Amino acid sequence: MIEISGLTKSYGATTVLDGIDFRVDDAQIAAIVGPSGAGKSTLARCINLLERPTTGTITVDDRELTSLSRRDLRDARRQIGTVFQSASLLRRLTAAQNVALPLRYLGLSDAELRLRVRDLLDRVGMLHRANHYPAQLSGGQRQRIGIARGLALQPSVLLSDEATSGLDPDATRSILDLLTGLRDDLGVTILVITHEMDVVRTVADVVAHLDHGRIVESGAVADVVRRSDSTLSRALLPLPPAPAEDTLRTWRLRYAADAIDPRWLARAGRELGTDIAVLAALVEEAGHEQVGRLTVGVDAGLDDRRVAEAFARQGIRAARATDGDVELDEQAIA
């Protein structure tokens, strides 16, 4: 578990993080997203106290880190593994030797150390590359070794700072499957720092949008997509532009209910007594729940409120695609 409360980080007169409040429950994957310079990596460094916050508290597994002595903090940090974008492997050491580095200070026997390293490499699917040097490994393989090293001290929390950035789609998918497995099999709490929305949709349970040092939106991934047309919501589920159609009035729709009957479009069409043209659509799974956005065309002669009500009865939030993109009042159609 990670709980951040009132966290600020300033460098002189420059405030990089401003009043961050965020919580990640046990065995959850949380994603922090935002533009370059938003403070994402600074937040990751504050969580493991590589950077000490200016104000605020950071609690990991019921231990408030900012109040610990240097010795107790060193022990607490063992519960926080970190994987960076470049994996940061030492070039002159083999994969096995890189994974063994954090274990050298635990007083393990050589036999115990070899067994632990073997288990870690096997966990990340890299046992067959144990004696290879970083230069002999692909980017995805190096990241797997980095994750194995991050797990060496058996942490309860894993920080992943842009760990999939620059990887090809297959390597990215492999790393994300590995992170999901760590959560499901070992109960590890994972915080993913990323700018890739595909990563968020694929693995995250919750997401927070960091902008100019503040969290401007957060929540379960599926809830964020359903409840708003915010910048984050649209980035998580982008919709391609719809073609123009003179005889139809264009509507933008999004799934608003937790469960949507797959026959909703046909039912809305029957209620309205017209065919509904799907102009663009994206329906995916996010946070283990189905979410969707669509652009549809409806007969321009139909009353707007009647159309909105028909969609609302199917659990679909509808807005006319006008120049101002103004939605109908939700209470009026409930």
Side-chain angles (χ1 to χ4, degrees), residues 282-296:
L282 183 60
V283 178
E284 288 197 1
E285 187 175 274
H288 312 293
E289 297 185 45
Q290 194 174 66
V291 294
R293 287 183 181 275
L294 301 89
T295 300
V296 301

Side-chain angles (χ1 to χ4, degrees), residues 4-240:
I4 303 166
S5 180
L7 185 148
T8 66
K9 177 61 181 178
S10 299
Y11 298 95
T14 303
T15 298
V16 179
L17 299 174
D18 186 5
I20 301 296
D21 294 300
F22 191 58
R23 178 186 173 94
V24 188
D25 290 330
D26 290 337
Q28 271 193 333
I29 298 180
I32 302 291
V33 302
S36 297
K40 301 189 298 296
S41 292
T42 300
L43 178 59
R45 291 195 298 271
C46 285
I47 291 173
N48 57 20
L49 260 68
L50 293 176
E51 295 272 4
R52 184 167 284 275
T54 304
T55 62
T57 61
I58 299 169
T59 302
V60 175
D61 292 340
D62 297 323
R63 300 183 76 179
E64 205 283 281
L65 302 187
T66 57
S67 65
L68 297 179
S69 66
R70 181 173 297 182
R71 179 177 179 179
D72 289 341
L73 178 59
R74 186 168 56 247
D75 292 337
R77 277 183 176 144
R78 292 178 178 176
Q79 293 303 306
I80 307 173
T82 305
V83 183
F84 298 102
Q85 179 177 347
S86 62
S88 302
L89 302 181
L90 298 182
R91 293 179 297 173
R92 296 187 178 184
L93 299 183
T94 65
Q97 291 168 338
N98 268 285
V99 174
L101 277 176
L103 299 169
R104 295 290 182 185
Y105 306 98
L106 297 184
L108 300 177
S109 68
D110 288 343
E112 289 174 323
L113 190 146
R114 284 194 299 271
L115 180 60
R116 181 79 69 84
V117 170
R118 180 183 177 87
D119 288 345
L120 287 165
L121 289 173
D122 188 42
R123 158 65 61 179
V124 300
M126 290 300 293
L127 187 57
H128 63 301
R129 294 288 190 264
N131 296 319
H132 286 63
Y133 291 90
Q136 298 172 303
L137 302 173
S138 69
Q141 290 173 333
R142 287 193 294 271
Q143 285 300 75
R144 284 177 169 268
I145 299 301
I147 292 172
R149 187 179 59 187
L151 295 172
L153 299 180
Q154 298 178 321
S156 60
V157 169
L158 183 67
L159 305 181
S160 170
D161 189 358
E162 298 284 7
T164 61
S165 181
L167 299 181
D168 63 62
D170 287 342
T172 296
R173 176 74 256 180
S174 177
I175 296 299
L176 297 182
D177 286 344
L178 177 57
L179 294 178
T180 302
L182 295 175
R183 176 198 62 192
D184 296 343
D185 299 341
L186 302 181
V188 177
T189 301
I190 301 173
L191 183 65
V192 177
I193 307 293
T194 185
H195 65 276
E196 299 171 295
M197 293 300 167
D198 286 347
V199 170
V200 181
R201 288 199 306 271
T202 301
V203 301
D205 301 301
V206 295
V207 61
H209 180 193
L210 189 65
D211 193 17
H212 291 89
R214 296 185 176 186
I215 291 180
V216 296
E217 187 174 12
S218 64
V221 175
D223 288 345
V224 168
V225 174
R226 289 177 184 143
R227 75 187 180 202
S228 75
D229 262 338
S230 64
T231 300
L232 176 58
S233 177
R234 291 181 179 233
L236 283 169
L237 205 64
L239 194 61

Side-chain angles (χ1 to χ4, degrees), residues 294-324:
L294 301 89
T295 300
V296 301
V298 181
D299 187 344
L302 292 174
D303 177 71
D304 285 351
R305 187 160 304 282
R306 182 184 169 209
V307 173
E309 289 173 345
F311 286 128
R313 278 189 277 275
Q314 303 302 322
I316 303 297
R317 181 79 176 97
R320 275 281 309 281
T322 61
D323 292 340

